[in-house]
């Protein structure tokens, strides 16, 4: 069996249901070679999972999914192989967490106007100390009987289309790319799907993005082919992952199913090693 990896999962450190240690255990069960925990705007899970990853011989790649502003849109950028021991990146992500709190408050105000009785404190309690986000609000809406599932919550109330324009204080995507490179990491556009036009993807490339997440549960074959070809044409890294949020009690989990070949990890590792030799790593 060829070695494979999952470069996109979420844990209880943000809006996932697996603990970081459980994520590594599942990765081992699924016979993965490498795993990257990419929680929203935090890489706390990396430190929690590092010891068990060593024990189970799973290569744990430092990762984080960073929220940024892309014009009127919210763009998610994945960072990999950065130096996890620098204060520079952690200080930046601390400000991100404040931005996340402010944004969820704006989202709650929007659903309140739609007639739903929900308060920030309820969503904060559901997050239980993790980086707060829309999935936590979705779970509260399920608990209160407004919807039957988190999926229905997003369809009816929490999609970008339903929410419309909500003010946020996230940094510009160009700034995020610069910050990731300053700690020797690779910066990748997450799950582009049908979100961006060709012109917008060109903007990411011109800003210095290192790669594109080509393999994702939301990408059909045509989209995978489209972004794989875009990577080949522009010399970009190709990444992929399951974007797992489910826990062990879920009937089905994409972790271990939606994967990327290890040869792409090797390319990323080589590129970031070269970058660390060139840039002055910010501390």
């Amino acid at each position: 069996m060829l070695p494979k990896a999952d470069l996109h999962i979420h844990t209880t450190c943000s809006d996932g249901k697996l603990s970081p240690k459980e994520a590594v255990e599942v990765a081992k069960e699924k016979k993965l070679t490498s795993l990257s925990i990419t929680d929203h705007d935090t890489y706390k899970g990396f430190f929690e999972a590092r010891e068990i990853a060593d024990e189970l011989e799973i290569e744990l790649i430092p990762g984080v999914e960073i929220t940024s502003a892309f014009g009127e849109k919210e763009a998610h950028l994945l960072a990999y192989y950065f130096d996890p021991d620098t204060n520079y990146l952690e200080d930046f992500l601390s400000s991100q967490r404040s931005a996340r709190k402010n944004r969820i408050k704006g989202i709650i105000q929007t659903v309140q106007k739609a007639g739903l009785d929900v308060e920030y404190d309820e969503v904060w309690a559901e997050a239980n100390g993790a980086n707060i986000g829309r999935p936590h609000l979705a779970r509260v809406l399920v608990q209160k009987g407004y919807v039957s599932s988190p999926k229905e919550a997003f369809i009816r109330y929490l999609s970008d289309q339903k929410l419309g324009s909500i003010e946020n204080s996230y940094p510009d995507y160009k700034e995020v790319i610069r910050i990731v490179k300053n700690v020797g990491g690779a910066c990748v556009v997450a799950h582009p799907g049908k979100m961006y036009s060709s012109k917008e993807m060109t903007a990411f490339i011109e800003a210095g993005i290192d790669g594109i997440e080509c393999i994702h549960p939301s990408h059909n074959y045509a989209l995978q082919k489209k972004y794989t070809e875009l990577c080949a044409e522009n010399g970009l890294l190709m990444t992929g992952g399951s974007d797992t949020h489910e826990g062990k009690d879920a009937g089905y989990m994409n972790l271990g199913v939606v994967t990327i070949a290890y040869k792409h990890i090797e390319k990323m590792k080589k590129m970031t090693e070269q970058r660390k030799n060139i840039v002055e790593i910010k501390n």
Side-chain angles (χ1 to χ4, degrees):
M1 182 184 293
L2 293 174
K4 55 187 180 178
D6 190 330
L7 294 180
H8 191 164
I9 75 156
H10 297 275
T11 73
T12 50
C13 291
S14 62
D15 57 359
K17 291 189 175 180
L18 289 172
S19 72
K21 291 182 179 180
E22 287 175 331
V24 174
E25 290 169 349
V26 174
K28 183 67 175 181
E29 292 169 9
K30 301 291 186 177
K31 296 181 169 51
L32 294 181
T33 300
S34 301
L35 179 73
S36 187
I37 294 172
T38 52
D39 280 310
H40 294 286
D41 300 309
T42 180
Y43 52 95
K44 178 183 176 183
F46 172 80
F47 298 107
E48 293 187 14
R50 186 161 50 178
E51 184 175 344
I52 191 170
D54 289 342
E55 291 175 6
L56 297 180
E57 298 183 329
I58 295 289
E59 179 187 12
L60 189 64
I61 300 168
V64 61
E65 185 171 4
I66 303 175
T67 314
S68 70
F70 185 72
E72 295 298 316
K73 297 180 180 179
E74 185 179 294
H76 290 194
L77 302 178
L78 293 158
Y80 300 107
Y81 279 117
F82 50 85
D83 184 344
D85 296 314
T86 65
N87 292 327
Y88 175 80
L89 183 58
E90 176 53 33
D91 289 346
F92 164 70
L93 292 176
S94 293
S95 67
Q96 284 285 89
R97 290 191 277 276
S98 295
R100 291 187 71 82
K101 290 178 182 177
N102 291 335
R103 179 161 172 78
I104 198 67
K105 288 177 181 178
I107 291 172
I108 290 169
Q109 289 174 358
T110 299
V111 298
Q112 286 172 340
K113 291 176 183 176
L116 306 188
D117 180 18
V118 60
E119 299 294 335
Y120 173 78
D121 287 349
E122 296 175 287
V123 183
W124 179 83
E126 177 63 27
N128 194 30
N131 265 7
I132 198 166
R134 278 182 286 182
H136 299 118
L137 174 54
R139 293 172 200 167
V140 171
L141 295 183
V142 173
Q143 292 163 15
K144 303 191 84 168
Y146 289 115
V147 292
S148 60
S149 68
K151 182 177 180 180
E152 184 185 352
F154 272 86
I155 292 171
R156 293 184 61 186
Y157 302 108
L158 302 180
S159 68
D160 290 340
Q161 292 78 11
K162 291 291 184 180
L163 291 171
S165 179
I166 294 178
E167 185 177 352
N168 70 66
S169 54
Y170 293 128
D172 185 75
Y173 70 103
K174 294 178 183 177
E175 175 70 3
V176 172
I177 293 171
R178 184 186 68 80
I179 287 170
V180 172
K181 290 184 176 183
N182 278 344
V183 285
C187 196
V188 173
V189 179
H191 43 64
K194 298 178 181 179
M195 289 177 60
Y196 307 111
S197 66
S198 295
K199 183 178 179 181
E200 288 172 324
M201 290 305 298
T202 297
F204 279 119
I205 294 168
E206 291 177 347
I209 203 73
D210 293 307
I212 300 171
E213 186 176 45
C214 301
I215 309 298
H216 186 270
S218 67
H219 291 183
N220 58 23
Y221 175 76
L223 286 172
Q224 288 185 20
K225 185 173 184 289
K226 171 185 175 180
Y227 291 118
T228 298
E229 290 175 350
L230 188 60
C231 286
E233 291 166 3
N234 292 277
L236 300 175
L237 297 170
M238 173 181 164
T239 75
S242 65
D243 202 356
T244 292
H245 288 75
E246 299 84 7
K248 282 190 171 182
D249 59 347
Y252 177 80
M253 187 185 298
N254 280 322
L255 177 54
V257 178
V258 182
T259 60
I260 190 89
Y262 190 75
K263 65 180 181 180
H264 298 291
I265 310 299
E266 292 174 328
K267 289 180 181 178
M268 184 188 297
K269 190 185 299 186
K270 182 177 180 181
M271 188 272 285
T272 52
E273 286 174 352
Q274 291 174 340
R275 178 165 288 162
K276 287 181 177 69
N277 289 329
I278 294 172
V279 304
E280 181 179 348
I281 303 297
K282 300 286 187 180
N283 292 309

